Amino acid sequence: MAASVTCPVTIRIQEADFDIARETALLTKSRTDIGAVVSFSGICRADEDSANIAALTLEHYPGMAEEEIKRHVDEAVSRWPLNGVTVIHRVGRFMPGENIVLVLTASQHRQAAFQAAEFLMDYLKTNAPFWKKEESEAGTGWVEAQARDDEAAARWTKP
C-alpha cells in the first residue's frame, strides 16, 4: 500500500529521556489526517530469566544505527498508509523502570498503525545495531540474540 503524501519521520538516538505525550503531540500537531496513533515504549525491567537486573547498558554504532532504522522506517512507510513515524532509541546506562525506546506510528486507521509499530519493534529487537550489557547478581555480560525475537521478525519477510 502506498503511504500518504506527507509522512514526517523523526529518528533520534539519544542519552536523554523522552516524554511520550510530548512526542505524540509533536507528531499530531495541526494534523487532521491522523485517526490513530500507536505507541510502544520499551522500559528497562528488573528481571530477565529469573536474574535480577541491576542495570542495562546500551551501545550503538553511530551513523549506522540511524541509517538502518531509517531503512526500516522507509519500508514501513512503503508497506502501510502511514501519516507519521517517530523512533527514539536511548543509549547509555539504564536502571529498571527507565525508558529505552519509543516507536510512534500514525495513520488514518488503527490497523496500519498497529502493524507498522509491531514491524518496527520486531526489527529493532533483532537487527538494529545496538548492543546490550546486563548487570545482575550473576555478573555482567552482553545479551545474546533471542530465538523468539528472530521468529517474530521472520513473519514480516515478504515471500
mmCIF file of all heavy atoms in Angstrom, residues 89-128:
data_model
loop_
_atom_site.group_PDB
_atom_site.id
_atom_site.type_symbol
_atom_site.label_atom_id
_atom_site.label_comp_id
_atom_site.label_asym_id
_atom_site.label_seq_id
_atom_site.Cartn_x
_atom_site.Cartn_y
_atom_site.Cartn_z
ATOM 1 N N HIS A 89 15.494 5.978 20.228
ATOM 2 C CA HIS A 89 16.174 4.898 20.954
ATOM 3 C C HIS A 89 17.247 5.541 21.817
ATOM 4 O O HIS A 89 18.066 6.312 21.330
ATOM 5 C CB HIS A 89 16.810 3.911 19.972
ATOM 6 C CG HIS A 89 16.926 2.527 20.531
ATOM 7 N ND1 HIS A 89 17.638 2.250 21.675
ATOM 8 C CD2 HIS A 89 16.401 1.362 20.108
ATOM 9 C CE1 HIS A 89 17.561 0.947 21.917
ATOM 10 N NE2 HIS A 89 16.804 0.392 20.979
ATOM 11 N N ARG A 90 17.210 5.212 23.085
ATOM 12 C CA ARG A 90 18.205 5.758 24.005
ATOM 13 C C ARG A 90 19.421 4.845 24.078
ATOM 14 O O ARG A 90 19.330 3.636 23.857
ATOM 15 C CB ARG A 90 17.597 5.926 25.398
ATOM 16 C CG ARG A 90 16.483 6.972 25.399
ATOM 17 C CD ARG A 90 15.887 7.154 26.763
ATOM 18 N NE ARG A 90 16.894 7.704 27.677
ATOM 19 C CZ ARG A 90 16.836 7.573 29.001
ATOM 20 N NH1 ARG A 90 15.839 6.917 29.565
ATOM 21 N NH2 ARG A 90 17.766 8.102 29.758
ATOM 22 N N VAL A 91 20.551 5.441 24.394
ATOM 23 C CA VAL A 91 21.778 4.703 24.663
ATOM 24 C C VAL A 91 22.324 5.184 25.998
ATOM 25 O O VAL A 91 21.978 6.256 26.476
ATOM 26 C CB VAL A 91 22.833 4.901 23.537
ATOM 27 C CG1 VAL A 91 22.374 4.245 22.245
ATOM 28 C CG2 VAL A 91 23.144 6.367 23.311
ATOM 29 N N GLY A 92 23.160 4.358 26.594
ATOM 30 C CA GLY A 92 23.713 4.691 27.900
ATOM 31 C C GLY A 92 23.355 3.616 28.912
ATOM 32 O O GLY A 92 23.009 2.489 28.551
ATOM 33 N N ARG A 93 23.415 3.981 30.180
ATOM 34 C CA ARG A 93 23.152 3.043 31.272
ATOM 35 C C ARG A 93 21.778 3.332 31.867
ATOM 36 O O ARG A 93 21.466 4.484 32.183
ATOM 37 C CB ARG A 93 24.224 3.182 32.346
ATOM 38 C CG ARG A 93 24.163 2.125 33.425
ATOM 39 C CD ARG A 93 25.425 2.188 34.296
ATOM 40 N NE ARG A 93 25.440 1.130 35.269
ATOM 41 C CZ ARG A 93 25.021 1.275 36.539
ATOM 42 N NH1 ARG A 93 24.571 2.440 36.969
ATOM 43 N NH2 ARG A 93 25.080 0.247 37.374
ATOM 44 N N PHE A 94 20.970 2.279 32.001
ATOM 45 C CA PHE A 94 19.594 2.415 32.473
ATOM 46 C C PHE A 94 19.356 1.567 33.706
ATOM 47 O O PHE A 94 19.825 0.439 33.796
ATOM 48 C CB PHE A 94 18.602 1.982 31.379
ATOM 49 C CG PHE A 94 18.823 2.717 30.101
ATOM 50 C CD1 PHE A 94 19.509 2.127 29.065
ATOM 51 C CD2 PHE A 94 18.390 4.014 29.956
ATOM 52 C CE1 PHE A 94 19.755 2.807 27.893
ATOM 53 C CE2 PHE A 94 18.625 4.712 28.785
ATOM 54 C CZ PHE A 94 19.303 4.108 27.753
ATOM 55 N N MET A 95 18.554 2.113 34.576
ATOM 56 C CA MET A 95 18.104 1.394 35.757
ATOM 57 C C MET A 95 16.705 0.848 35.458
ATOM 58 O O MET A 95 15.992 1.386 34.614
ATOM 59 C CB MET A 95 18.051 2.334 36.966
ATOM 60 C CG MET A 95 19.358 3.059 37.251
ATOM 61 S SD MET A 95 20.770 1.959 37.483
ATOM 62 C CE MET A 95 20.364 1.267 39.065
ATOM 63 N N PRO A 96 16.286 -0.218 36.147
ATOM 64 C CA PRO A 96 14.933 -0.723 35.952
ATOM 65 C C PRO A 96 13.893 0.394 36.107
ATOM 66 O O PRO A 96 13.997 1.230 37.003
ATOM 67 C CB PRO A 96 14.790 -1.784 37.046
ATOM 68 C CG PRO A 96 16.195 -2.293 37.221
ATOM 69 C CD PRO A 96 17.050 -1.056 37.091
ATOM 70 N N GLY A 97 12.940 0.391 35.193
ATOM 71 C CA GLY A 97 11.887 1.397 35.200
ATOM 72 C C GLY A 97 12.131 2.572 34.267
ATOM 73 O O GLY A 97 11.216 3.351 34.016
ATOM 74 N N GLU A 98 13.342 2.697 33.743
ATOM 75 C CA GLU A 98 13.646 3.819 32.853
ATOM 76 C C GLU A 98 13.292 3.481 31.400
ATOM 77 O O GLU A 98 13.413 2.340 30.969
ATOM 78 C CB GLU A 98 15.124 4.205 32.956
ATOM 79 C CG GLU A 98 15.482 4.798 34.301
ATOM 80 C CD GLU A 98 16.917 5.295 34.369
ATOM 81 O OE1 GLU A 98 17.835 4.576 33.895
ATOM 82 O OE2 GLU A 98 17.112 6.400 34.883
ATOM 83 N N ASN A 99 12.879 4.513 30.662
ATOM 84 C CA ASN A 99 12.557 4.370 29.241
ATOM 85 C C ASN A 99 13.796 4.039 28.418
ATOM 86 O O ASN A 99 14.866 4.592 28.662
ATOM 87 C CB ASN A 99 11.981 5.678 28.685
ATOM 88 C CG ASN A 99 10.622 5.982 29.220
ATOM 89 O OD1 ASN A 99 9.800 5.096 29.402
ATOM 90 N ND2 ASN A 99 10.361 7.261 29.481
ATOM 91 N N ILE A 100 13.610 3.175 27.408
ATOM 92 C CA ILE A 100 14.692 2.827 26.493
ATOM 93 C C ILE A 100 14.343 3.204 25.061
ATOM 94 O O ILE A 100 15.146 3.806 24.362
ATOM 95 C CB ILE A 100 15.038 1.327 26.564
ATOM 96 C CG1 ILE A 100 15.548 0.967 27.952
ATOM 97 C CG2 ILE A 100 16.073 0.962 25.499
ATOM 98 C CD1 ILE A 100 15.783 -0.517 28.152
ATOM 99 N N VAL A 101 13.152 2.831 24.602
ATOM 100 C CA VAL A 101 12.809 3.032 23.197
ATOM 101 C C VAL A 101 11.358 3.485 23.069
ATOM 102 O O VAL A 101 10.512 3.109 23.884
ATOM 103 C CB VAL A 101 13.059 1.743 22.374
ATOM 104 C CG1 VAL A 101 12.172 0.604 22.844
ATOM 105 C CG2 VAL A 101 12.896 1.971 20.880
ATOM 106 N N LEU A 102 11.114 4.308 22.047
ATOM 107 C CA LEU A 102 9.767 4.755 21.739
ATOM 108 C C LEU A 102 9.548 4.627 20.235
ATOM 109 O O LEU A 102 10.370 5.080 19.437
ATOM 110 C CB LEU A 102 9.561 6.217 22.146
ATOM 111 C CG LEU A 102 8.210 6.841 21.767
ATOM 112 C CD1 LEU A 102 7.066 6.157 22.506
ATOM 113 C CD2 LEU A 102 8.223 8.332 22.048
ATOM 114 N N VAL A 103 8.447 3.991 19.860
ATOM 115 C CA VAL A 103 8.014 3.930 18.464
ATOM 116 C C VAL A 103 6.594 4.469 18.424
ATOM 117 O O VAL A 103 5.718 3.993 19.153
ATOM 118 C CB VAL A 103 8.053 2.487 17.908
ATOM 119 C CG1 VAL A 103 7.395 2.417 16.536
ATOM 120 C CG2 VAL A 103 9.478 1.983 17.839
ATOM 121 N N LEU A 104 6.383 5.482 17.593
ATOM 122 C CA LEU A 104 5.052 6.035 17.348
ATOM 123 C C LEU A 104 4.755 5.889 15.863
ATOM 124 O O LEU A 104 5.592 6.248 15.030
ATOM 125 C CB LEU A 104 4.986 7.526 17.693
ATOM 126 C CG LEU A 104 5.267 7.950 19.122
ATOM 127 C CD1 LEU A 104 5.309 9.471 19.219
ATOM 128 C CD2 LEU A 104 4.206 7.392 20.056
ATOM 129 N N THR A 105 3.591 5.361 15.539
ATOM 130 C CA THR A 105 3.157 5.286 14.149
ATOM 131 C C THR A 105 1.768 5.904 14.067
ATOM 132 O O THR A 105 0.906 5.637 14.904
ATOM 133 C CB THR A 105 3.125 3.834 13.641
ATOM 134 O OG1 THR A 105 2.343 3.039 14.522
ATOM 135 C CG2 THR A 105 4.527 3.262 13.529
ATOM 136 N N ALA A 106 1.573 6.741 13.057
ATOM 137 C CA ALA A 106 0.302 7.427 12.873
ATOM 138 C C ALA A 106 -0.253 7.083 11.503
ATOM 139 O O ALA A 106 0.482 6.993 10.516
ATOM 140 C CB ALA A 106 0.502 8.934 12.994
ATOM 141 N N SER A 107 -1.572 6.906 11.460
ATOM 142 C CA SER A 107 -2.255 6.579 10.214
ATOM 143 C C SER A 107 -3.695 7.058 10.321
ATOM 144 O O SER A 107 -4.138 7.470 11.399
ATOM 145 C CB SER A 107 -2.219 5.064 9.975
ATOM 146 O OG SER A 107 -2.772 4.736 8.723
ATOM 147 N N GLN A 108 -4.424 6.980 9.212
ATOM 148 C CA GLN A 108 -5.845 7.313 9.269
ATOM 149 C C GLN A 108 -6.605 6.276 10.084
ATOM 150 O O GLN A 108 -7.588 6.598 10.741
ATOM 151 C CB GLN A 108 -6.433 7.378 7.859
ATOM 152 C CG GLN A 108 -6.095 8.650 7.120
ATOM 153 C CD GLN A 108 -6.881 8.747 5.833
ATOM 154 O OE1 GLN A 108 -6.810 7.864 4.993
ATOM 155 N NE2 GLN A 108 -7.629 9.821 5.688
ATOM 156 N N HIS A 109 -6.148 5.034 10.029
ATOM 157 C CA HIS A 109 -6.851 3.933 10.684
ATOM 158 C C HIS A 109 -5.904 3.117 11.556
ATOM 159 O O HIS A 109 -4.716 3.013 11.273
ATOM 160 C CB HIS A 109 -7.523 3.032 9.638
ATOM 161 C CG HIS A 109 -8.465 3.789 8.756
ATOM 162 N ND1 HIS A 109 -9.700 4.201 9.191
ATOM 163 C CD2 HIS A 109 -8.318 4.247 7.489
ATOM 164 C CE1 HIS A 109 -10.294 4.874 8.220
ATOM 165 N NE2 HIS A 109 -9.481 4.916 7.171
ATOM 166 N N ARG A 110 -6.442 2.486 12.580
ATOM 167 C CA ARG A 110 -5.630 1.806 13.595
ATOM 168 C C ARG A 110 -4.846 0.608 13.072
ATOM 169 O O ARG A 110 -3.734 0.364 13.528
ATOM 170 C CB ARG A 110 -6.492 1.403 14.786
ATOM 171 C CG ARG A 110 -7.472 0.285 14.505
ATOM 172 C CD ARG A 110 -8.326 -0.044 15.730
ATOM 173 N NE ARG A 110 -9.168 -1.180 15.468
ATOM 174 C CZ ARG A 110 -10.364 -1.118 14.896
ATOM 175 N NH1 ARG A 110 -10.847 0.046 14.518
ATOM 176 N NH2 ARG A 110 -11.058 -2.219 14.687
ATOM 177 N N GLN A 111 -5.416 -0.183 12.166
ATOM 178 C CA GLN A 111 -4.751 -1.413 11.744
ATOM 179 C C GLN A 111 -3.357 -1.141 11.173
ATOM 180 O O GLN A 111 -2.387 -1.800 11.542
ATOM 181 C CB GLN A 111 -5.599 -2.177 10.733
ATOM 182 C CG GLN A 111 -4.996 -3.533 10.390
ATOM 183 C CD GLN A 111 -5.886 -4.352 9.457
ATOM 184 O OE1 GLN A 111 -6.781 -3.827 8.815
ATOM 185 N NE2 GLN A 111 -5.619 -5.641 9.402
ATOM 186 N N ALA A 112 -3.246 -0.164 10.298
ATOM 187 C CA ALA A 112 -1.952 0.171 9.712
ATOM 188 C C ALA A 112 -0.977 0.652 10.792
ATOM 189 O O ALA A 112 0.199 0.273 10.795
ATOM 190 C CB ALA A 112 -2.107 1.234 8.626
ATOM 191 N N ALA A 113 -1.471 1.475 11.712
ATOM 192 C CA ALA A 113 -0.603 1.992 12.773
ATOM 193 C C ALA A 113 -0.106 0.861 13.672
ATOM 194 O O ALA A 113 1.082 0.812 14.023
ATOM 195 C CB ALA A 113 -1.350 3.048 13.585
ATOM 196 N N PHE A 114 -0.993 -0.077 14.032
ATOM 197 C CA PHE A 114 -0.581 -1.208 14.860
ATOM 198 C C PHE A 114 0.447 -2.084 14.144
ATOM 199 O O PHE A 114 1.485 -2.448 14.709
ATOM 200 C CB PHE A 114 -1.792 -2.077 15.251
ATOM 201 C CG PHE A 114 -2.495 -1.633 16.491
ATOM 202 C CD1 PHE A 114 -3.789 -1.133 16.420
ATOM 203 C CD2 PHE A 114 -1.902 -1.727 17.737
ATOM 204 C CE1 PHE A 114 -4.466 -0.727 17.565
ATOM 205 C CE2 PHE A 114 -2.561 -1.327 18.884
ATOM 206 C CZ PHE A 114 -3.853 -0.824 18.799
ATOM 207 N N GLN A 115 0.156 -2.438 12.902
ATOM 208 C CA GLN A 115 1.056 -3.336 12.171
ATOM 209 C C GLN A 115 2.422 -2.697 11.951
ATOM 210 O O GLN A 115 3.449 -3.355 12.119
ATOM 211 C CB GLN A 115 0.425 -3.747 10.842
ATOM 212 C CG GLN A 115 -0.734 -4.688 11.028
ATOM 213 C CD GLN A 115 -1.432 -5.035 9.722
ATOM 214 O OE1 GLN A 115 -1.266 -4.365 8.702
ATOM 215 N NE2 GLN A 115 -2.236 -6.089 9.752
ATOM 216 N N ALA A 116 2.443 -1.435 11.581
ATOM 217 C CA ALA A 116 3.724 -0.761 11.342
ATOM 218 C C ALA A 116 4.541 -0.659 12.631
ATOM 219 O O ALA A 116 5.759 -0.872 12.624
ATOM 220 C CB ALA A 116 3.485 0.621 10.744
ATOM 221 N N ALA A 117 3.887 -0.361 13.746
ATOM 222 C CA ALA A 117 4.601 -0.276 15.024
ATOM 223 C C ALA A 117 5.194 -1.628 15.394
ATOM 224 O O ALA A 117 6.349 -1.723 15.838
ATOM 225 C CB ALA A 117 3.673 0.228 16.123
ATOM 226 N N GLU A 118 4.416 -2.675 15.210
ATOM 227 C CA GLU A 118 4.901 -4.013 15.543
ATOM 228 C C GLU A 118 6.065 -4.417 14.624
ATOM 229 O O GLU A 118 7.062 -4.981 15.078
ATOM 230 C CB GLU A 118 3.754 -5.008 15.434
ATOM 231 C CG GLU A 118 4.020 -6.282 16.175
ATOM 232 C CD GLU A 118 2.771 -7.143 16.331
ATOM 233 O OE1 GLU A 118 1.717 -6.835 15.742
ATOM 234 O OE2 GLU A 118 2.882 -8.133 17.062
ATOM 235 N N PHE A 119 5.938 -4.128 13.355
ATOM 236 C CA PHE A 119 7.013 -4.391 12.390
ATOM 237 C C PHE A 119 8.305 -3.688 12.823
ATOM 238 O O PHE A 119 9.384 -4.292 12.862
ATOM 239 C CB PHE A 119 6.574 -3.904 11.003
ATOM 240 C CG PHE A 119 7.677 -3.816 9.985
ATOM 241 C CD1 PHE A 119 8.115 -4.943 9.316
ATOM 242 C CD2 PHE A 119 8.272 -2.590 9.689
ATOM 243 C CE1 PHE A 119 9.135 -4.856 8.371
ATOM 244 C CE2 PHE A 119 9.283 -2.505 8.753
ATOM 245 C CZ PHE A 119 9.720 -3.642 8.093
ATOM 246 N N LEU A 120 8.201 -2.411 13.164
ATOM 247 C CA LEU A 120 9.393 -1.647 13.548
ATOM 248 C C LEU A 120 10.005 -2.175 14.844
ATOM 249 O O LEU A 120 11.229 -2.287 14.958
ATOM 250 C CB LEU A 120 9.060 -0.157 13.657
ATOM 251 C CG LEU A 120 8.806 0.518 12.306
ATOM 252 C CD1 LEU A 120 8.207 1.908 12.502
ATOM 253 C CD2 LEU A 120 10.093 0.582 11.494
ATOM 254 N N MET A 121 9.186 -2.537 15.817
ATOM 255 C CA MET A 121 9.740 -3.070 17.062
ATOM 256 C C MET A 121 10.399 -4.428 16.846
ATOM 257 O O MET A 121 11.454 -4.706 17.416
ATOM 258 C CB MET A 121 8.663 -3.164 18.144
ATOM 259 C CG MET A 121 8.486 -1.888 18.929
ATOM 260 S SD MET A 121 10.047 -1.113 19.477
ATOM 261 C CE MET A 121 10.815 -2.435 20.393
ATOM 262 N N ASP A 122 9.789 -5.275 16.018
ATOM 263 C CA ASP A 122 10.418 -6.569 15.731
ATOM 264 C C ASP A 122 11.784 -6.355 15.092
ATOM 265 O O ASP A 122 12.753 -7.042 15.422
ATOM 266 C CB ASP A 122 9.521 -7.422 14.834
ATOM 267 C CG ASP A 122 8.334 -8.015 15.587
ATOM 268 O OD1 ASP A 122 8.361 -8.043 16.832
ATOM 269 O OD2 ASP A 122 7.390 -8.457 14.908
ATOM 270 N N TYR A 123 11.887 -5.385 14.200
ATOM 271 C CA TYR A 123 13.169 -5.069 13.588
ATOM 272 C C TYR A 123 14.162 -4.566 14.642
ATOM 273 O O TYR A 123 15.315 -5.016 14.700
ATOM 274 C CB TYR A 123 13.020 -4.013 12.476
ATOM 275 C CG TYR A 123 14.334 -3.339 12.225
ATOM 276 C CD1 TYR A 123 15.362 -4.022 11.572
ATOM 277 C CD2 TYR A 123 14.598 -2.080 12.726
ATOM 278 C CE1 TYR A 123 16.604 -3.440 11.412
ATOM 279 C CE2 TYR A 123 15.829 -1.498 12.566
ATOM 280 C CZ TYR A 123 16.828 -2.180 11.914
ATOM 281 O OH TYR A 123 18.067 -1.599 11.778
ATOM 282 N N LEU A 124 13.732 -3.625 15.469
ATOM 283 C CA LEU A 124 14.646 -3.057 16.469
ATOM 284 C C LEU A 124 15.178 -4.129 17.415
ATOM 285 O O LEU A 124 16.336 -4.073 17.836
ATOM 286 C CB LEU A 124 13.951 -1.940 17.260
ATOM 287 C CG LEU A 124 13.731 -0.640 16.497
ATOM 288 C CD1 LEU A 124 12.797 0.287 17.285
ATOM 289 C CD2 LEU A 124 15.040 0.053 16.189
ATOM 290 N N LYS A 125 14.348 -5.106 17.755
ATOM 291 C CA LYS A 125 14.782 -6.179 18.661
ATOM 292 C C LYS A 125 15.781 -7.133 18.011
ATOM 293 O O LYS A 125 16.569 -7.765 18.699
ATOM 294 C CB LYS A 125 13.571 -6.990 19.147
ATOM 295 C CG LYS A 125 12.737 -6.306 20.187
ATOM 296 C CD LYS A 125 13.444 -6.182 21.505
ATOM 297 C CE LYS A 125 13.547 -7.508 22.224
ATOM 298 N NZ LYS A 125 14.178 -7.440 23.517
ATOM 299 N N THR A 126 15.741 -7.272 16.686
ATOM 300 C CA THR A 126 16.563 -8.302 16.040
ATOM 301 C C THR A 126 17.725 -7.776 15.228
ATOM 302 O O THR A 126 18.782 -8.405 15.200
ATOM 303 C CB THR A 126 15.704 -9.183 15.105
ATOM 304 O OG1 THR A 126 15.057 -8.339 14.139
ATOM 305 C CG2 THR A 126 14.674 -9.972 15.882
ATOM 306 N N ASN A 127 17.571 -6.658 14.544
ATOM 307 C CA ASN A 127 18.581 -6.258 13.564
ATOM 308 C C ASN A 127 19.213 -4.894 13.746
ATOM 309 O O ASN A 127 20.188 -4.585 13.067
ATOM 310 C CB ASN A 127 17.970 -6.320 12.150
ATOM 311 C CG ASN A 127 17.612 -7.736 11.768
ATOM 312 O OD1 ASN A 127 18.353 -8.662 12.027
ATOM 313 N ND2 ASN A 127 16.443 -7.897 11.177
ATOM 314 N N ALA A 128 18.652 -4.063 14.583
ATOM 315 C CA ALA A 128 19.240 -2.735 14.753
ATOM 316 C C ALA A 128 20.619 -2.874 15.411
ATOM 317 O O ALA A 128 20.806 -3.725 16.287
ATOM 318 C CB ALA A 128 18.329 -1.862 15.601
#
